[in-house]
Amino acid sequence: MLDPNLITTLEKSLQETRKAQSRLISRLREVEIEAERLREEIQALENGASQTESAIDGLLFAMRSTSRALAPDLNSPEIKLPSRISTETGQGTDLGNTPLRRPKKTVPKRYGLTNEPKDIGNVAYIDAGRSLVPSRSSNIEAISHRFSDLTITQACTLLLREAGHPLHVNELYNLLVAGGMEFKGNNPTISIAVSLNRNRRFVKVEPGTFNLAFREVSRVAS
């Protein structure tokens, strides 16, 4: 014979289970409504960001067009470039007949790197009169995790801002690896160049050398 108390206990347990189920269903509906609201807010922010990017592109294009229109023609016979005084000989040199050289760049000491080139099989040298292409080191050890959670473009933006001048992809690679970024594949510098080429935040100023677009526009405009 069945115990009536057992049936009563099971019925109470069933009721509690149903109540808990109802509460969870109600909570799930609230979460779904909240998630939909967040999606709408994210889409609204994305639309605003796209409009801002379009406005920035338009301003950059207008500034570049204005800079080209106002820039003097250096080949004109009426324009004579000023002379510079050599610190070694004390004699003036006509800048119009002398190839300009970029200043030697220094690598921030905090990344554990030096300016000494390392022969690792991929050091590219340019003809006499032009700058030495920075080397890409193959034995850099990460000294921090600064860039481990960042994308290539995010990390390169920070590096270019800190450097204050354009950087070659080999330099960027050395600094990224020292900052904890890991690369897959045999051509990491190509990956860096492709990422920067595809992003309007950057502009190529020389072969393999990039700068921040807003800084380059400001330089040309000045």
Side-chain angles (χ1 to χ4, degrees):
M1 183 175 179
L2 294 176
D3 185 0
N5 293 331
L6 176 60
I7 295 177
T8 301
T9 302
L10 292 175
E11 287 178 345
K12 289 183 179 180
S13 176
L14 177 60
Q15 291 176 358
E16 293 176 355
T17 301
R18 292 300 185 188
K19 289 180 180 180
Q21 184 182 25
S22 298
R23 287 196 300 269
L24 292 177
I25 292 175
S26 178
R27 178 57 182 162
L28 177 60
R29 289 174 180 172
E30 294 176 357
V31 171
E32 290 175 344
I33 293 174
E34 179 68 13
E36 184 62 28
R37 186 182 65 80
L38 291 176
R39 291 191 187 96
E40 292 176 355
E41 292 183 1
I42 292 172
Q43 185 60 44
L45 292 174
E46 178 62 26
N47 294 337
S50 299
Q51 293 176 0
T52 302
E53 287 182 349
S54 299
I56 292 174
D57 292 340
L59 291 174
L60 290 175
F61 179 79
M63 293 177 65
R64 289 173 181 170
S65 300
T66 304
S67 300
R68 293 192 187 100
L70 297 178
D73 184 3
L74 298 181
N75 295 323
S76 173
E78 298 179 356
I79 298 178
K80 181 175 178 60
L81 293 176
S83 299
R84 64 181 177 188
I85 303 300
S86 172
T87 57
E88 298 178 358
T89 64
Q91 298 178 352
T93 302
D94 186 0
L95 294 180
N97 298 323
T98 304
L100 298 179
R101 299 186 182 182
R102 292 172 56 196
K104 184 177 180 181
K105 301 170 184 176
T106 58
V107 179
K109 292 183 179 180
R110 64 174 176 275
Y111 295 112
L113 305 177
T114 64
N115 288 318
E116 299 179 359
K118 301 179 180 180
D119 185 9
I120 59 172
N122 68 333
V123 181
Y125 292 91
I126 306 300
D127 295 336
R130 297 186 62 186
S131 300
L132 177 66
V133 174
S135 62
R136 191 191 85 187
S137 179
S138 62
N139 55 355
I140 300 176
E141 295 184 359
I143 61 175
S144 73
H145 299 287
R146 184 185 183 194
F147 303 135
S148 59
D149 295 330
L150 299 182
T151 64
I152 290 177
T153 53
Q154 290 172 339
C156 287
T157 298
L158 294 176
L159 289 175
L160 287 170
R161 285 179 178 174
E162 294 172 357
H165 54 69
L167 293 176
H168 192 274
V169 290
N170 288 347
E171 294 174 291
L172 291 170
Y173 169 79
N174 294 338
L175 296 173
L176 292 174
V177 173
M181 182 170 290
E182 297 181 358
F183 291 87
K184 297 180 180 180
N186 298 324
N187 298 301
T189 52
I190 294 179
S191 299
I192 296 173
V194 170
S195 297
L196 300 188
N197 269 321
R198 291 177 176 176
N199 195 303
R200 291 189 294 267
R201 188 183 303 168
F202 307 92
V203 60
K204 181 186 290 185
V205 296
E206 290 182 13
T209 304
F210 292 85
N211 197 5
L212 294 173
F214 77 88
R215 182 185 295 157
E216 191 66 17
V217 170
S218 300
R219 183 188 68 82
V220 174
S222 61

